[in-house]
Structures are given as C-alpha cells and as structure tokens.
Amino acid sequence: MEFQPHPNTQQVSVTCAVITVSDTRSPDTDKSGQLIKELLLADDHTVSLYQIIKDEPKEIQSQMTTLGEDTRINAVIFNGGTGIAPRDTTYDALEKLLEKTLPGFGELFRFLSYQEIGSRAMASRAVAGVYQSKIIFSLPGSSNAVRLGMEKLILPELVHLVKQVNLQN
C-alpha cells in the first residue's frame, strides 16, 4: 500500500545538492551519489551541486555552512559516513549543526532497512533535519540504502518538507 498524506497537486522542482562523504570514491566509482542524482532528475528535481568530500568532520561542517548560505539550494542529500566505524563521522558533524531534527526519518529508515537486511540496520545513523531553511538528509553510502531512502522516504516527501520549511509566519 502506497501512502501519500500530502499529495502534490502540482509538480514542484526542488533544487538539491548531492554530497558524497568518502575517503575512497571518485566521480567514476561513486555509484550512490550518481544514483541520488539520477533519482532526483527522474522526479523532475534539479541538482545544482554534486561533490565528493573526505570523511572529515571539519570538511563536512564547512561544506554544510557553505551550502547553508546558498539561497538557490532547497535540500541537501549526503551519503556515506553514517555507520559506527572510526572514520564514519558524517552523523557527528551534521547533528551539531541541525537546527531541527526529523527523528522519524532515521526511525523509518532503520525500520525499512531492517526489513531488507535484518538487525544490521541498527548500526545506521541516518538522519534528517533543517539547517538554514534547507532540508538536510544523510543516508548510508551503499547503493541499496540510497535507493531505499530515496524511493521510500525522500522523494515522496521532498516537496512537502521544503514547503513546510519555507512557510512564512
């Protein structure tokens, strides 16, 4: 059963940045970052920036600060660095900057992951929230996890969440 509590009556294009956090990937080997871009474009959204950065907290936070200042960008999707290995620092770097968090995103992502990969899903620190009037998502780096998060959670709610963040008081 497919739920859509807030159906989009008109197609709205969201301008996104896609950031892969990895010490080893290049544009040629970054299947997950490429998949995010493909899925966004197929859903009529715009990718204004695609970049690969090292899994270094200061570099992740610097990138987030720069993106926060870019008024053209509505959403940022990070992938990689969400596990618990020593070099997995994306969650730690981002959660310090998020002004609001969406706990349901991580909870739902882990629930859906559990259905696919079992108890290993508990090691994911996928997170989402708001920073500088932008929706921020952080997914694991595996292509299967990216597809799951994009198709089941991000794409169905992206337009609605961007509209909610930009409501005027």
Side-chain angles (χ1 to χ4, degrees), residues 18-25 49-68 76 78-80 87-97 131:
V18 176
I19 308 298
T20 295
V21 179
S22 175
D23 293 331
T24 59
R25 292 189 183 163
L49 175 73
Y50 162 70
Q51 197 165 19
I52 299 172
I53 62 175
K54 296 286 183 206
D55 202 339
E56 294 289 343
K58 287 182 180 173
E59 195 167 336
I60 296 166
Q61 288 178 331
S62 174
Q63 182 68 41
M64 181 89 142
T65 302
T66 300
L67 293 170
V76 181
F78 286 85
N79 76 95
R87 291 293 298 156
D88 289 335
T89 63
T90 304
Y91 173 86
D92 306 292
L94 294 181
E95 66 93 18
K96 290 178 174 110
L97 294 177
Y131 176 73

Side-chain angles (χ1 to χ4, degrees), residues 16-74:
C16 302
V18 176
I19 308 298
T20 295
V21 179
S22 175
D23 293 331
T24 59
R25 292 189 183 163
S26 70
D28 292 334
T29 62
D30 181 21
K31 292 180 179 151
S32 294
Q34 297 299 336
L35 179 58
I36 294 170
K37 287 175 26 181
E38 289 169 18
L39 292 170
L40 287 167
L41 295 172
D43 208 37
D44 295 324
H45 299 297
T46 303
V47 177
S48 67
L49 175 73
Y50 162 70
Q51 197 165 19
I52 299 172
I53 62 175
K54 296 286 183 206
D55 202 339
E56 294 289 343
K58 287 182 180 173
E59 195 167 336
I60 296 166
Q61 288 178 331
S62 174
Q63 182 68 41
M64 181 89 142
T65 302
T66 300
L67 293 170
E69 296 167 356
D70 190 332
T71 57
R72 299 167 300 156
I73 295 173
N74 307 111

Side-chain angles (χ1 to χ4, degrees), residues 109-165:
F109 179 80
R110 283 179 285 280
F111 170 74
L112 294 169
S113 292
Y114 176 79
Q115 294 176 331
E116 288 191 0
I117 65 170
S119 59
R120 188 167 287 181
M122 79 172 80
S124 170
R125 296 188 299 158
V127 67
V130 177
Y131 176 73
Q132 300 290 325
S133 299
K134 292 163 185 31
I135 294 292
I136 310 298
F137 298 99
S138 180
L139 293 165
S142 86
S143 295
N144 287 341
V146 161
R147 183 174 298 283
L148 176 73
M150 290 296 294
E151 291 179 348
K152 297 289 187 183
L153 299 172
I154 296 173
L155 291 174
E157 293 300 327
L158 184 59
V159 171
H160 173 70
L161 292 172
V162 168
K163 284 181 180 178
Q164 288 293 299
V165 166

